[in-house]
Amino acid sequence: MQLCRFNNEQLGLVQGDEVIDVTAALQVLPACRYPLPRHDLFIAHLDAVRDEISRLVAGVADLPRHRLTDLTLLSPIANPGKVIAAPVNYLKHLQEAREDQAIHHQNQIGEIQRVGLFLKATSSVEGASAGVEIARPDRRNDHEIELVAVIGKTGRHIHAADALSHVAGYCVGLDMTVRGPEERSMRKSPDGYTVLGPYLTTADEITNVDDLDLLITVNGEVRQHANTRDLVMKLEELIEFASSFYTLHPGDILMTGTPEGVSQVFPGDHMEAEITHLGRLVVDIHPN
Ligand code: MN
């Protein structure tokens, strides 16, 4: 199942180029009072929402339908508790980062096994349609296309062998980055610098997460083109690694790292980022 959030906090079932408005399915979510749970409510109750969507689509003849391209796409996850990200998780990107001063800025670029993971601010999360506003025009601002896994159930000390059962689904991610000397958590967390979408593809749709093509073009020119088979630390290992430090909650975002080919983007640029089976994220760059 492919599910988008669109326009005014609506929920859509994506079927090819068409979206069926299934917002009514959100009524199965429990009411929430302060303090809110640490998890994302939609993902924590995804099975119940999916059942309700199936019931609606089978039983209600006049659900509104839209063209996907006509919609304002929001982040498919509204309230992730945290955004975990993998630095330099493709060997060729490790090499380019070490060789290019404009990327490394005297920061030591170490292997992921040694430097570990980092967190991005949840306030940086946006959907495709918001576009990216360049936060620091005085700096190099780069795109990084990444496979994103959305955690589906709570877990700590998850074993790699069991890790994929903790994944609710996948989407395309852009880990937008201001280059410079500061910590990653700061440079990668301006508002809008975590772009997720175009929609959530549930995990049952993906048979082999270790063989997905990633492609990003800027103004029609290919910048990054790689495959998840070249991940240094596979998704299963990333989940084991992350959960050895943090409890993972439904709706937590895990960005798996970017391959080689990162490059600068400028206001007016048009990015299209796609991953096999996960759709295409269409994102414009705006001035600040
Ligand atoms: Mn990244």
Side-chain angles (χ1 to χ4, degrees):
M1 201 174 263
Q2 296 186 305
L3 301 168
C4 66
R5 293 181 58 256
F6 68 97
N7 295 5
N8 187 23
E9 312 294 340
Q10 285 149 273
L11 181 67
L13 174 65
V14 182
Q15 292 190 329
D17 297 335
E18 204 174 48
V19 174
I20 305 174
D21 188 328
V22 291
T23 308
L26 294 175
Q27 285 169 3
V28 302
L29 298 183
C32 250
R33 298 187 61 172
Y34 180 83
L36 300 176
R38 289 184 188 277
H39 58 246
D40 180 274
L41 212 59
F42 167 62
I43 296 297
H45 298 276
L46 186 59
D47 288 345
V49 175
R50 289 182 64 169
D51 288 348
E52 183 64 6
I53 290 171
S54 299
R55 203 185 65 78
L56 281 172
V57 171
V60 182
D62 57 347
L63 292 169
R65 288 169 183 264
H66 308 277
R67 291 187 62 78
L68 180 62
T69 48
D70 290 341
L71 301 179
T72 298
L73 291 173
L74 311 173
S75 165
I77 312 303
N79 300 113
K82 55 187 168 298
V83 178
I84 304 164
V88 288
N89 200 19
Y90 288 81
L91 276 182
K92 286 182 185 165
H93 177 56
L94 176 66
Q95 287 161 4
E96 79 177 349
R98 280 178 169 163
E99 286 163 8
D100 188 349
Q101 135 78 18
I103 297 178
H104 65 66
H105 283 268
Q106 263 68 55
N107 288 333
Q108 210 180 11
I109 307 294
E111 292 84 3
I112 183 169
Q113 294 87 347
R114 197 174 65 77
V115 300
L117 308 174
F118 65 96
L119 296 171
K120 291 173 64 115
T122 53
S123 51
S124 68
V125 173
E126 281 286 2
S129 297
V132 174
E133 190 176 292
I134 294 295
R136 288 290 305 264
D138 56 322
R139 296 281 191 85
R140 177 172 156 173
N141 292 258
D142 282 11
H143 56 78
E144 296 191 351
I145 184 174
E146 310 198 1
L147 169 70
V148 169
V150 179
I151 297 300
K153 63 181 183 185
T154 301
R156 182 91 204 275
H157 301 300
I158 300 163
H159 293 294
D162 190 32
L164 292 187
S165 74
H166 284 258
V167 176
Y170 302 96
C171 65
V172 183
L174 288 176
D175 174 22
M176 299 301 297
T177 302
V178 177
R179 299 295 172 200
E182 301 88 356
E183 296 284 345
R184 286 188 176 91
S185 62
M186 188 177 203
R187 292 185 289 103
K188 292 167 173 278
S189 289
D191 292 358
Y193 271 47
T194 304
V195 188
L196 303 180
Y199 36 73
L200 177 75
T201 299
T202 55
D204 54 293
E205 302 274 352
I206 303 299
T207 49
N208 185 5
V209 74
D210 295 325
D211 184 17
L212 300 177
D213 266 326
L214 306 92
L215 173 68
I216 182 168
T217 62
V218 178
N219 306 328
E221 179 185 304
V222 174
R223 296 288 174 88
Q224 294 179 276
H225 189 190
N227 188 285
T228 55
R229 77 172 74 90
D230 293 323
L231 279 167
V232 172
M233 197 177 269
K234 303 285 183 204
L235 178 59
E236 296 93 318
E237 299 167 85
L238 288 170
I239 290 172
E240 179 173 288
F241 194 26
S243 71
S244 72
F245 279 75
Y246 331 110
T247 296
L248 303 186
H249 297 282
D252 281 0
I253 302 298
L254 178 53
M255 307 193 73
T256 56
T258 203
E260 67 280 7
V262 299
S263 70
Q264 187 170 11
V265 286
F266 301 90
D269 282 350
H270 174 82
M271 302 185 288
E272 298 199 5
E274 60 186 301
I275 298 179
T276 318
H277 305 310
L278 305 185
R280 182 185 300 148
L281 199 58
V282 177
V283 182
D284 291 321
I285 304 284
H286 304 302
N288 73 343

